[in-house]
Amino acid sequence: MQNERVPRALVGYHWGVTLLTLGSVLNVILMLVHLGSHPVEMAISNGLLAVFVVDYFVRLIITKERKTFLIQSAFDLLGIIPLHPVFAFFRLARLARLIRFHHVFWRLGLDGKWTKAYHRFIYQTGFIYLFSISVAIIVVSAFLFSLTEKQNLANSLWWAVTTATTVGYGDETPHTAFGKIIASVLMFGGIGFIGLLTSTITGFITNRTEKAVTPQDTQEQADVRELLAKIDTLTGKVDQLQEQVERLDRKSPKR
């Protein structure tokens, strides 16, 4: 697999995606720490958002396995949500897939255990599905809350996150009947999926810890059993030697 040649055009495309992703993340960081001109940074953010939106739907159209694409590109979809520029951080998952695609760890002489653990955690545990559903519930609730409560999208997203995580600071609360219905749905649905998400992460870490500890314990137990067997053998030889000494004492003439 590692020896397959990747077309230069595809390599160039991946380099472009990498640079745009890192640029979009850096731009968001500058916005969060209030460095530079905010209007310029917002224009850059919106421009990059448009590029990634077009890229996502073009890949969706040309792919033959749309179901697989939607699953594996769930973070890409989250990265083009226009609620807040901070969603650009989800685009970093694209870089992780590119690193795995080009076998970067293998080329650097690493064994690739990190990429296997990453793939196992994201897909085999169902984390990607629970995370996507949780984010979808939060985003949809924030959007509906923004419409009904006449709040901006940033404040609505903050309200949805604090409500779904049961923090509930109370700085943003629904006042309309429809807003309270949205909050109730978010409380039941969001909390349930976030609870499943947390248990999935905990279960994965626990299993990894058990697998890391069990071989060591097994080896220690084997060492103890081997040591006890050697002690038993040595004890038997000592007993035999003692019997031989006693026989020699009985046979030797008494003075």
Side-chain angles (χ1 to χ4, degrees):
M1 181 183 296
Q2 288 85 353
N3 295 327
E4 294 180 358
R5 294 183 61 85
V6 181
R8 291 185 177 181
L10 183 60
V11 173
Y13 166 71
H14 287 169
W15 270 109
V17 170
T18 300
L19 294 176
L20 290 175
T21 299
L22 295 177
S24 63
V25 171
L26 177 61
N27 184 65
V28 172
I29 293 175
L30 294 177
M31 293 175 64
L32 294 177
V33 298
H34 303 290
L35 290 178
S37 174
H38 184 72
V40 173
E41 292 167 346
M42 279 301 302
I44 294 175
S45 177
N46 293 333
L48 291 172
L49 174 63
V51 171
F52 280 102
V53 168
V54 173
D55 172 73
Y56 178 86
F57 284 103
V58 168
R59 288 186 294 130
L60 177 62
I61 292 172
I62 65 177
T63 187
K64 296 180 180 179
E65 299 290 339
R66 288 192 172 87
K67 182 179 179 180
T68 303
F69 174 84
L70 291 173
I71 294 174
Q72 295 183 349
S73 303
F75 285 108
D76 296 354
L77 180 60
L78 297 177
I80 59 176
I81 294 177
L83 275 180
H84 196 279
V86 76
F87 278 87
F89 283 104
F90 287 115
R91 298 168 191 167
L92 292 174
R94 181 88 174 272
L95 298 187
R97 293 204 310 276
L98 293 181
I99 289 173
R100 193 165 177 267
F101 177 81
H102 290 282
H103 312 288
V104 174
F105 286 105
W106 177 83
R107 296 177 189 278
L108 293 176
L110 302 178
D111 55 7
K113 289 183 179 180
W114 185 88
T115 55
K116 293 179 181 178
Y118 168 81
H119 188 273
R120 189 182 305 111
F121 172 67
I122 294 296
Y123 298 107
Q124 294 183 6
T125 62
F127 174 84
I128 184 66
Y129 309 107
L130 293 174
F131 185 81
S132 301
I133 294 174
S134 300
V135 173
I137 292 175
I138 291 174
V139 169
V140 172
S141 299
F143 180 72
L144 295 177
F145 183 85
S146 175
L147 294 178
T148 58
E149 301 295 327
K150 309 302 180 181
Q151 294 283 346
N152 59 53
L153 292 175
N155 289 339
S156 300
L157 183 62
W158 169 252
W159 166 82
V161 171
T162 56
T163 301
T165 55
T166 69
V167 175
Y169 287 113
D171 51 348
E172 298 290 342
T173 56
H175 299 286
T176 63
F178 193 64
K180 293 178 181 179
I181 294 175
I182 296 172
S184 300
V185 173
L186 177 60
M187 290 175 189
F188 287 103
I191 292 172
F193 279 103
I194 289 178
L196 290 174
L197 190 66
T198 305
S199 63
T200 300
I201 297 174
T202 304
F204 178 79
I205 295 175
T206 302
N207 291 335
R208 293 281 295 180
T209 303
E210 290 177 352
K211 290 181 180 179
V213 172
T214 301
Q216 182 178 358
D217 291 346
T218 304
Q219 184 62 37
E220 290 179 355
Q221 293 174 1
D223 293 340
V224 170
R225 287 195 297 269
E226 184 179 358
L227 180 59
L228 292 175
K230 290 181 179 180
I231 292 174
D232 291 339
T233 302
L234 182 60
T235 302
K237 291 182 178 180
V238 170
D239 292 339
Q240 292 176 2
L241 182 60
Q242 185 176 0
E243 291 177 359
Q244 292 177 1
V245 171
E246 291 177 353
R247 284 198 299 268
L248 290 174
D249 287 342
R250 288 194 297 267
K251 291 179 180 180
S252 60
K254 298 182 179 179
R255 295 181 181 178

